[in-house]
């Protein structure tokens, strides 16, 4: 009776799960097919077009850093076409910043990523130590009495009294006449 009841419950649960999964898959795929992506919510990136990046191994990216220029930047670009001796240092720097986001010196500056890595390592080591401590206190049984120094001293004396392995082993290193180790 109980076995039959469990089979009935298992059958109902599995059919309910299968129905819900089918419903979820069909409605989500229908929703995805019926709606076009909203440009305000998601912005698709066309990976076939040239992209900008700052990399030391690639000094000239595929495109300039700034695509859309303001009026001041457009006038500076027009001024760039003339002799560069008439440009000030600030204008040359501004022109450089139109093409590139960072200089080589800025790209070579040390990052503080190592702090995050070391912090993560310390966190996981500390968490592991906490788990080991918790297991030692609450999970493992108490240490057996055979680990106590007093017990081991008595066991050593017992082995010497019984003269265990007197030729090459343990008792061969004990001087029985003087009562000390050889």
């Amino acid at each position: 009776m109980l076995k039959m009841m469990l089979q009935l419950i298992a059958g109902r649960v599995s059919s309910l799960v299968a129905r819900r999964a089918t419903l979820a898959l069909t409605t989500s795929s229908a929703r995805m097919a019926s709606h076009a992506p909203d440009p305000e919510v998601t912005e698709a990136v066309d990976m076939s077009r040239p992209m900008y990046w700052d990399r030391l191994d690639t000094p000239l990216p595929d495109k300039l850093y700034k695509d859309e220029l303001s009026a001041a930047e457009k006038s500076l670009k027009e001024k760039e076409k003339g002799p560069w001796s008439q440009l000030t240092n600030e204008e040359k720097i501004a022109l450089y910043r139109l093409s590139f986001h960072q200089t080589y010196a800025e790209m070579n500056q040390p990052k503080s990523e190592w702090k995050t890595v070391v912090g993560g390592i310390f966190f996981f080591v500390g968490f592991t130590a906490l788990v080991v401590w918790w297991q030692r206190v609450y999970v493992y049984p108490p240490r057996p009495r055979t680990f106590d120094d007093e017990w081991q001293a008595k066991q050593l004396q017992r082995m010497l009294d019984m003269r265990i392995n007197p030729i090459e082993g343990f008792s061969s290193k004990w001087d029985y006449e003087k009562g000390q180790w050889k």
Side-chain angles (χ1 to χ4, degrees):
M1 179 74 177
L2 181 64
K3 183 178 178 184
M4 203 163 97
M5 198 178 214
L6 287 175
Q7 287 176 347
L8 182 64
I9 291 172
R12 285 185 181 171
V13 168
S14 64
S15 69
L16 178 66
V17 169
R19 256 189 278 149
R20 287 190 180 236
T22 305
L23 182 66
L25 289 174
T26 56
T27 57
S28 65
S29 61
R31 270 186 285 171
M32 288 189 311
S34 66
H35 294 291
D38 188 5
E40 294 177 6
V41 177
T42 60
E43 183 178 324
V45 177
D46 186 6
M47 299 302 284
S48 66
R49 303 192 73 181
M51 295 178 61
Y52 177 82
W53 62 84
D54 283 323
R55 291 181 51 165
L56 292 172
D57 59 342
T58 310
L60 297 172
D62 294 336
K63 74 174 213 167
L64 299 178
Y65 176 62
K66 285 197 174 181
D67 287 335
E68 299 170 5
L69 303 176
S70 66
E73 292 169 343
K74 286 179 184 177
S75 68
L76 188 59
K77 284 297 256 184
E78 288 298 320
K79 196 174 179 183
E80 176 188 25
K81 294 176 184 174
W84 276 61
S85 59
Q86 294 177 356
L87 295 173
T88 64
N89 283 339
E90 291 79 21
E91 290 173 332
K92 291 176 185 176
I93 292 172
L95 281 170
Y96 181 84
R97 292 294 180 182
L98 290 177
S99 299
F100 303 102
H101 180 62
Q102 290 182 327
T103 63
Y104 272 100
E106 291 170 345
M107 285 188 271
N108 277 330
Q109 281 185 345
K111 309 286 188 280
S112 51
E113 182 182 357
W114 67 272
K115 295 175 188 176
T116 306
V117 172
V118 170
I121 290 170
F122 282 148
F123 174 77
F124 284 113
V125 167
F127 181 74
T128 303
L130 186 65
V131 168
V132 167
W133 170 81
W134 179 81
Q135 286 180 340
R136 181 171 280 190
V137 171
Y138 295 107
V139 176
Y140 295 134
R143 287 179 49 166
R145 63 184 177 145
T146 55
F147 281 14
D148 294 339
D149 291 335
E150 181 182 333
W151 178 274
Q152 289 180 353
K154 286 181 182 177
Q155 185 68 16
L156 175 67
Q157 187 60 46
R158 181 174 176 266
M159 290 171 73
L160 291 174
D161 292 344
M162 292 174 63
R163 295 181 186 250
I164 293 179
N165 205 357
I167 297 173
E168 293 181 0
F170 191 70
S171 295
S172 67
K173 296 176 178 65
W174 180 257
D175 189 355
Y176 287 95
E177 294 168 2
K178 296 181 182 175
Q180 63 184 10
W181 293 103
K182 292 183 184 178

